[in-house]
Amino acid sequence: MLAALLYGQEDLRLEQVTDPTPAAGEVVIQVGAATTCGTDLKVWRRGGHAKMLKPPTLFGHEAAGTIVAVGAGVTNWQVGDRVVANNSAPCMECFYCQRQEYSLCPNLTWNNGTFAEYLKIPAPIVQHNLLHLPDELPFELAAITEPLACVLHGVARSHIKPKDKVVILGDGAIGLMFVAALADTVEVLLWGGSDQRLEIGHKLGAAQTFNYHQIPDIPGVVKELTQGWGADVVIEATGVPSVWETAIACARPGATVNLFGGCPRDTTITVNTEQLHYSELTLKGVFHNTPEYVRSALSMIASRTLPLELLISEKRPLNDLEQVFHDMKARQVIKVAMVCSQD
């Protein structure tokens, strides 16, 4: 089969590799659509990921498709089932899993390789994080279940109350998904660098949008809009250390700051200890998702109540994958649905 392999920093190659075959407990799917992700872009630019993969390796982690092979002992799935698979599953046995802190499981089973004609799903994911798709749900929408699950996990950790003013920093797919997940219940102020993306944020429900290229004093404007206090909740969705500091500067006393965007390794930020202490700030790092939010994400997507198709800029064949990553780097697209079948 044709598959994408990451060899290092901005070194992505399409190669012919052996078709996968399922071992006991596993299934193989034909990839109907694999969506690109900001995490994929960061991994491509940095040449690896501390937790999820080490080059050279099959690449990509968001996909939906159809089961084409079933391993021994698999009883709940059959060839022809339309499915989406999360890119991980917790062990369900460790210290953290026993406390239902599944995203912290040190034994997470990771799975990469969605940018390929076929994808093998490891047994723990088959057992805990493989889900049936409604017949009418397009593969490209189902494929964004994983990042939306991460966002719903982030929402749950953010201590958000009805009528809160929530600042979201970042107009990438994750920031826009936070808008979609929150706009029905709170007032969302979205900051980003692209007028086109900010318009999508408005369509997804943001109350106000701001381009930081034109209005660089983000904390000052946030305070003007909140009677001088600052936001009730701030969600950072860029993975840039300086923006983490901006997020903290936007927060009112008693606020929660969700530092959601993953920064490069060995980076640091500076926090004013007086502000942190006397303003009783809660700074939270939030990572990945859990089986509960994978199911909630698919349910939200399948309901078609939100125009999440706005996040998918276009469909492209797998042969275009390298160009797609250059387009993402140039912020010309948000998410692209790669059509991996060579039929």
Side-chain angles (χ1 to χ4, degrees):
M1 68 172 181
L2 187 66
L5 281 83
L6 182 70
Y7 278 85
Q9 192 171 16
E10 298 193 14
D11 185 0
L12 187 63
R13 309 175 195 176
L14 291 178
E15 299 180 356
Q16 291 291 332
V17 301
T18 303
D19 289 357
T21 55
E26 298 180 337
V27 304
V28 172
I29 69 170
Q30 182 176 24
V31 176
T35 44
T36 61
C37 175
T39 296
D40 293 332
L41 178 64
K42 289 192 293 187
V43 171
W44 174 72
R45 295 181 72 172
R46 298 172 187 174
H49 188 286
K51 287 185 176 290
M52 289 196 300
L53 56 84
K54 294 181 181 178
T57 182
L58 293 166
F59 192 47
H61 70 277
E62 299 177 9
T66 305
I67 293 178
V68 293
V70 175
V74 175
T75 57
N76 297 327
W77 303 97
Q78 59 187 8
V79 171
D81 285 345
R82 301 176 81 249
V83 297
V84 62
N86 198 48
N87 70 325
S88 74
C91 72
M92 298 296 181
E93 297 177 354
C94 70
F95 173 91
Y96 293 102
C97 287
Q98 291 300 306
R99 288 155 179 80
Q100 298 184 346
E101 296 175 341
Y102 300 114
S103 59
L104 297 177
C105 173
N107 308 312
L108 281 170
T109 297
W110 294 102
N111 196 35
N112 293 281
T114 58
F115 298 130
E117 293 180 74
Y118 300 99
L119 174 68
K120 184 167 69 172
I121 311 299
I125 298 178
V126 172
Q127 184 177 1
H128 300 297
N129 265 338
L130 183 66
L131 305 180
H132 278 285
L133 297 183
D135 290 340
E136 67 279 6
L137 187 63
F139 286 131
E140 61 268 22
L141 276 179
I144 67 174
T145 297
E146 188 273 337
L148 184 58
C150 296
V151 165
L152 296 182
H153 178 214
V155 168
R157 293 292 189 95
S158 297
H159 302 156
I160 296 169
K161 302 178 185 68
K163 300 184 180 180
D164 274 352
K165 283 187 168 60
V166 178
V167 165
I168 297 173
L169 302 180
D171 58 6
I174 292 295
L176 293 171
M177 285 184 184
F178 269 110
V179 173
L182 289 170
D184 275 353
T185 56
V186 298
E187 182 180 342
V188 175
L189 311 177
L190 173 65
W191 292 80
S194 162
D195 287 339
Q196 181 182 11
R197 293 179 183 220
L198 292 170
E199 177 59 28
I200 291 173
H202 179 71
K203 291 177 180 177
L204 291 170
Q208 296 186 68
T209 61
F210 306 88
N211 189 319
Y212 69 83
H213 294 300
Q214 299 157 11
I215 310 173
D217 182 15
I218 300 174
V221 172
V222 170
K223 286 182 169 59
E224 286 179 12
L225 295 170
T226 55
Q227 293 77 51
W229 294 111
D232 301 296
V233 176
V234 185
I235 298 172
E236 195 288 333
T238 72
V240 178
S242 62
V243 184
W244 279 33
E245 295 183 356
T246 298
I248 297 168
C250 291
R252 68 161 173 82
T256 294
V257 182
N258 181 340
L259 302 170
F260 192 87
C263 296
R265 294 185 70 179
D266 301 321
T267 53
T268 60
I269 64 169
T270 299
V271 179
N272 183 296
T273 55
E274 182 178 6
Q275 180 194 13
L276 178 63
H277 179 76
Y278 290 104
S279 294
E280 295 190 8
L281 294 183
T282 298
L283 308 184
K284 295 184 72 74
V286 182
F287 169 68
H288 200 42
N289 59 46
T290 73
E292 173 189 358
Y293 296 117
V294 174
R295 284 151 180 80
S296 296
L298 179 58
S299 177
M300 180 181 290
I301 293 167
S303 74
R304 304 303 293 267
T305 55
L306 297 171
L308 295 172
E309 63 275 3
L310 293 172
L311 302 176
I312 300 174
S313 301
E314 57 188 3
K315 293 183 183 180
R316 300 278 288 273
L318 185 57
N319 283 321
D320 289 353
L321 185 63
E322 184 175 13
Q323 182 58 50
V324 165
F325 273 93
H326 286 286
D327 293 345
M328 291 177 69
K329 183 178 178 180
R331 305 202 86 222
Q332 295 173 351
V333 294
I334 302 175
K335 296 181 83 69
V336 176
M338 306 307 302
V339 180
C340 299
S341 173
Q342 301 300 298
D343 295 342

